Amino acid sequence: MAAFQQEITISTKGRCDVLDITGAVAGIVSASGILTGIVNVSGVGSTLGITTLEFEPGCVADLKRALEKIAPANSDYAHNARWGDENGYSHLRSALIGTAKSFPVAGGKIKIGVWQQIVLCDFDDRPRHRQVIVTVLG
């Protein structure tokens, strides 16, 4: 079994910034030379998420609105009291969305739907430089 791994560094705005990373992941899959297998996309950190959605403004806004209802940014979190910061909500959002996703690779390409993009969500309360580890196995 072959393995290929690369890291992507992405600058974000924080506060539920949602960025399409499909092209970057596809580029790594292509560079790997692996035709059949799996690609794992893993964000490093406890205040970000990796997921898929149709990356268009309406869907992105709907995701942000849903997360605000589930884990509001301005609520009183025990994490905030413990550490003296204000990002308790970002840790909950990360736990709910998850920090990694895997996708099949066939014909040297990621097998995702036409309207399905891979996105990085930065839930933290400030801009960050995020690392995403992309591992292709096959």
Side-chain angles (χ1 to χ4, degrees):
M1 180 181 299
F4 184 86
Q5 187 174 76
Q6 266 189 342
E7 181 176 311
I8 305 166
T9 301
I10 301 164
S11 295
T12 68
K13 297 175 186 172
R15 301 253 179 228
C16 210
D17 196 11
V18 179
L19 303 167
D20 182 358
I21 61 171
T22 309
V25 174
I28 293 169
V29 169
S30 179
S32 77
I34 294 172
L35 297 178
T36 304
I38 192 164
V39 59
N40 177 266
V41 182
S42 182
V44 179
S46 62
T47 57
L48 61 80
I50 301 290
T51 192
T52 64
L53 54 69
E54 182 178 347
F55 189 74
E56 60 85 22
C59 194
V60 171
D62 291 341
L63 174 65
K64 290 179 179 184
R65 186 171 49 248
L67 289 169
E68 185 61 26
K69 287 181 181 180
I70 295 167
N74 295 321
S75 287
D76 182 29
Y77 292 98
H79 173 80
N80 295 351
R82 168 91 169 124
W83 297 107
D85 56 13
E86 296 297 322
N87 71 346
Y89 69 94
S90 63
H91 291 280
L92 291 179
R93 291 177 183 187
S94 176
L96 292 167
I97 296 296
T99 60
K101 294 275 186 220
S102 293
F103 306 94
V105 172
K109 298 181 190 244
I110 309 166
K111 297 308 289 184
I112 55 176
V114 173
W115 305 113
Q116 180 184 22
Q117 286 78 46
I118 303 167
V119 297
L120 166 81
C121 306
D122 186 353
F123 303 124
D124 214 347
D125 59 354
R126 61 189 169 90
R128 303 285 303 261
H129 296 290
R130 296 299 195 167
Q131 282 81 35
V132 177
I133 308 299
V134 179
T135 307
V136 189
L137 301 171

